[in-house]
Amino acid sequence: MNANDSQSRAGSDTGTEPFVGQSVRRSEDLRLLTGQGMFADDAVVADPVYCAILRSPHAHARIVSVDTSRAQAMPDVVLAISGAEAAEHWTQIPAGMDLMDMKLPKVYAIATDKVHYEGEPVAAVIAETRYAAEDALAAIDVEYEPLPAVASVEDALGVHPFDAPDGPWSPKAVLYEEWGHNIQCDWAFEIGDPDAVFASAPHVVSCRPAAHRYSGVPMETRAVVAEYDAGRETLKLRVSTQLPHQSRTLIAQILGLSEPNVQVLADDVGGGFGNKTQVDAEVIPALLAKLSGRAVKWFEPRGDWLSSGPASRDYAHHVEGAFDDDGTLLAIREHLVGDEGCDGATRSAGLGALLVGGIYSAGPYHVRSYKARVQAVVTNKAPYGAYRGYGKETANLAIERLMDTAAAKLGIDAVAIRQHNLVREFPYEMAAGPIIESGSFSELLDMLTEAMDLPALRLRQEQARAEGRHVGIGVISFLEPSAGSIPMSVFNGYETASVRIMPDGKAMVLTGLQGIGQGVETSLAQITADRLGLYPGDVRVVYGDTKAVPYGLGAYASRGATYGMSAVYEAAGEVRRKLLKAAAGMLEADPEDLELGRGEVWVAGVPDTRLSVQEVARAVYLFPGPYATLPGEESPTLEANHVWTNPNVSWVPDEHGRVRLYPTHGSGAQGVVVEVDVETGEIQIEKMWIAHDCGKVVNPAIVHGQIIGSTIQGLGGTMFEQLSYDDQGKLLTKTLNDYQLPNIMSVPPIEVLHKETPSPITPLGTKGVGEGGCIGTPAVLLSAVEDALREFGVTVERTPLDPMRVRALVRNAPLTSPVAG
């Protein structure tokens, strides 16, 4: 018995309470903390060669010619290839999503005739050593014809869409000539009669919240180890990915291979955060393995990740709210414009985040008249990808800034106007279509303000102001949609599980989920252990091998707690039924009279009449076997499969054209206290609070860690991290010296409060939890900084909250102050 076994068996010493709900220690942590994790680049293969990728120095240019001959002639170089040469051996990248009349670029993983961003691959090399491969890149001669760079939405359209949403456009250049413009998607929705409501409303307020460009920074960048067997025409890939099965499908299609001949392995993933949900450069080493017959290893240097990895945020809202005299929200008009870089649907999957932002802009508040328009604009920057939050933080920033603006204009307390408008009755159908199945919005806000002791904080704030200090308090609510189920995409909604008890009485779970650090191995073991009367340490969870586990959809959109857990719960339930049936025969009892737990099954009220699960399993499989133990059973082994779909998903448009793509909704309230130094612009965050409800909590320690981690990620994006470009589309933040990450010194104390309001549509009552902390963090920080600078009359609508921006806000404030000059 190892340390994890001992810990996960602790429940046997204290009682028979379920493991679900306990902070069982994560079984995966021992190997990760002792250096025994298996990440993609850790794979040891025989006689490998190493891949390096030459990337464009231009943001926008035609490729006149690529000559790889000098590189090919260098010592230790095995193969050098241009985009045009590679195009003879593969197809263009298939789209990851194709809906709502999206424009889809037709591009290869290595550019053939034109580059659309600085960092786009234009050639690749494999060599006997990494040094030789990198050196050979310098010997590849590429002639470019530079084109005007489209470095902003204004460049892309010629006007700002808030001023002229329907054009006419006069772009600086067009990225994809066949489109004739630079808009990848233009979606509009309206319900109720919002314009009429606005015309008669006593109060109309508006604001223009915006976020800058940043994204995830996983410890492990993209990495691939590819092995091709020409005799069997099989390809084996170790990939750092959140989507093993979809990766197999897309890579097989690109390389023209039979899908059963492709195996994708994803063991430990050094950070996902949504950033590893596409197939782009990953296919390059796969092609080179196929062409060379050698095992190819590739990992992406940090600078390449920053310049060409999936970026996120970079959007602007123009949101308006119609309010009654008492602060009742009557209608919303929302216009959201996103800078997607060169693409958000084929090379990556960020476009959907903007649509989520447009659908969910009402947040947790009641409103029946709603009008939204979302415009996704392409520019000469790296692709626009998924990132933790995926549009929910976009929606939250709009509605929470609108609430603060309305509170100030109407003279209503900022907490009171939120409480007045929060949804209280469930299920609740939002104006844009989603059904919030359950929630505790008002209670969470009460929990939060009580924990903060808001009256005492306000008193302390006044005392600080009297001393010339600028202390601000922010309080917001947030909605956390999860388990996105998107039609016509690789992100649609189902999950698979296979559960079996082995002859030795131990259990194995095969799941289509992918572990990316969120505790899949532990939480699924807890659920299985409860269903089968075992200990978590007796359950082995397997994922990330497309040859071993059923086709599943991996890890994204906080779907594990709904889709993954529910599939395992149902499959384990069927195994439990057969286990009890077999035991009943052996004990000469009725299955309904049996109890199961602690690795044993016994007759209720007759504790001396019992068998171990191992004894029952051996009887089913071997001695005497299934004909005796499970007679008449159609599938007479202790194994079951289940495909779980969510009843709250609807892809059939209703009479208003609405669909339901996010079936579960966690929620929360968030508070913060900051102090702003108006001389330097520096912000000190004193403390943060989060009251959170994700339904039934399977493992409190894991949920707590998810909230803390996502809060820090949201804080880093709001305060420090920036993917900054010049007006020629050149990335300025190419190293981690420039792209600043939060560290232990910049993270304040974070107090987390939990509440459980079970979901009525999942068997365990679970909802998603992975994104809660980063959804509300930008809005609550902007709210607090604006509150701190209230005496200056400053409106804080944009991130980042870096010292230069804050100092500029004070310097240009409409109200003067002795300390502002």
Side-chain angles (χ1 to χ4, degrees), residues 294-318:
R294 300 281 298 275
V296 176
K297 299 192 72 171
W298 172 71
F299 78 87
E300 185 174 49
R302 180 63 62 187
D304 287 359
W305 170 267
L306 291 171
S307 68
S308 63
S312 186
R313 304 332 190 222
D314 207 353
Y315 58 78
H317 296 274
H318 181 197

Side-chain angles (χ1 to χ4, degrees), residues 555-574:
Y556 59 88
S558 303
R559 64 192 300 275
T562 53
Y563 282 102
M565 288 182 176
S566 299
V568 169
Y569 180 90
E570 297 293 354
E574 174 62 7

Side-chain angles (χ1 to χ4, degrees), residues 143-199:
E143 183 181 353
Y144 298 95
E145 176 191 340
L147 297 170
V150 178
S152 65
V153 168
E154 288 77 4
D155 283 352
L157 302 180
V159 295
H160 198 286
F162 291 166
D163 301 324
D166 296 309
W169 316 125
S170 54
K172 188 176 179 181
V174 174
L175 269 68
Y176 307 102
E177 285 81 0
E178 63 272 23
W179 297 5
H181 53 72
N182 288 320
I183 297 181
Q184 186 163 25
C185 183
D186 191 340
W187 173 79
F189 171 78
E190 182 174 345
I191 193 168
D193 193 355
D195 290 339
V197 174
F198 270 89

